Amino acid sequence: MDFDIDAINRDLGQDPEALTRWALTLGKHAICTTNFRPFEAVILHMVTQVQPDIPVVWMDSGYNTDATYRFADDVIKRLNLNLVSYLPKRTRAHREALEGATPTIDDPRHTAFTEEVKLEPFTRALREMAPQVWLTALRAEDTPERAKMQPVSINDDGLIKVAPVLHWSAKDMYEYLVKHDLPNNFDYFDPTKVEDKRECGLHLQH
């Protein structure tokens, strides 16, 4: 590691745009993940201002709302995103024909469902794209687990995980959208999390 992670978190952790510039000028292969949830246009605008062609990786579970798909299409076009979609190995229609509707979070099958539609595609994305830097729109106020995270961390496999907006509030995010005339999406639902403050496991594994 050719930088002081504690110093970076201290000096840039409260400055999302400066932290994004730092991460994307390390000279390492970077990706940005998205799920096109509320305020997601903030991180997508921030990273493409520094590196317009950064691969933007979307784990499209096939279970997004119609509004989320329309929002995604709008943002992709506005920002000319270099989008790379990763899909489950089975389509939603295939899975539901064999196993029925989405299992609830208290259904023992929900763990396997989450693995199939989100975790496996993300693991595959990391394996195939082999990033050295991963930018994400995680925010501390999202869940108790995320409140304990640092803006920059190093995973066990050496992947540098950067969460530029970790310490931003919803108000900060909204003001950035307004400033840059960016769209938003509140009709969002993640069947792997279901509840707002619940983790799906992706950021606990990686």
Side-chain angles (χ1 to χ4, degrees):
M1 185 171 64
D2 50 4
F3 59 88
D4 183 338
I5 193 169
D6 293 329
I8 295 298
N9 280 320
R10 182 188 67 238
D11 298 341
L12 302 180
Q14 302 290 338
D15 188 339
E17 291 172 273
L19 186 56
T20 299
R21 285 192 298 273
W22 170 82
L24 293 178
T25 53
L26 286 171
K28 299 179 184 294
H29 176 47
I31 65 168
C32 179
T33 52
T34 185
N35 50 15
F36 294 106
R37 65 178 182 151
F39 301 120
E40 203 75 357
V42 171
I43 187 74
L44 298 174
H45 181 267
M46 227 173 252
V47 299
T48 53
Q49 294 307 292
V50 181
Q51 185 182 332
D53 65 346
I54 185 172
V56 174
V57 180
W58 182 22
M59 272 60 64
D60 177 6
S61 67
Y63 287 81
N64 290 294
T65 64
D66 290 352
T68 296
Y69 284 113
R70 288 191 292 268
F71 170 69
D73 194 60
D74 184 12
V75 176
I76 291 163
K77 289 174 180 173
R78 283 196 194 210
L79 300 179
N80 193 28
L81 297 182
N82 176 18
L83 190 77
V84 184
S85 295
Y86 274 83
L87 309 175
K89 291 183 177 179
R90 290 190 297 179
T91 64
R92 176 176 179 172
H94 185 172
R95 201 203 71 78
E96 290 188 349
L98 298 180
E99 298 175 34
T102 310
T104 59
I105 54 174
D106 54 0
D107 186 317
R109 298 175 302 157
H110 193 269
T111 300
F113 170 77
T114 300
E115 175 67 29
E116 178 176 356
V117 305
K118 182 179 276 190
L119 303 183
E120 187 282 326
F122 183 64
T123 300
R124 187 168 11 114
L126 289 182
R127 184 175 66 248
E128 292 180 2
M129 302 201 73
Q132 298 166 294
V133 176
W134 166 26
L135 289 112
T136 169
L138 286 183
R139 287 194 300 124
E141 65 179 35
D142 288 341
T143 70
E145 290 80 6
R146 295 176 188 189
K148 301 171 188 173
M149 296 179 178
Q150 292 291 327
V152 180
S153 58
I154 310 284
N155 292 352
D156 291 341
D157 54 4
L159 178 63
I160 303 167
K161 183 176 179 179
V162 184
V165 296
L166 185 72
H167 296 309
W168 265 16
S169 65
K171 182 175 182 288
D172 294 324
M173 301 291 276
Y174 173 76
E175 289 174 351
Y176 186 96
L177 292 180
V178 172
K179 178 181 177 182
H180 296 283
D181 191 27
L182 295 166
N184 207 355
N185 168 44
F186 285 109
D187 185 3
Y188 175 80
F189 178 71
D190 182 347
T192 67
K193 291 173 66 175
V194 183
E195 298 166 356
D196 285 346
K197 297 293 183 181
R198 185 176 177 275
E199 288 284 353
C200 66
L202 189 152
H203 288 283
L204 303 180
Q205 289 186 8
H206 300 280

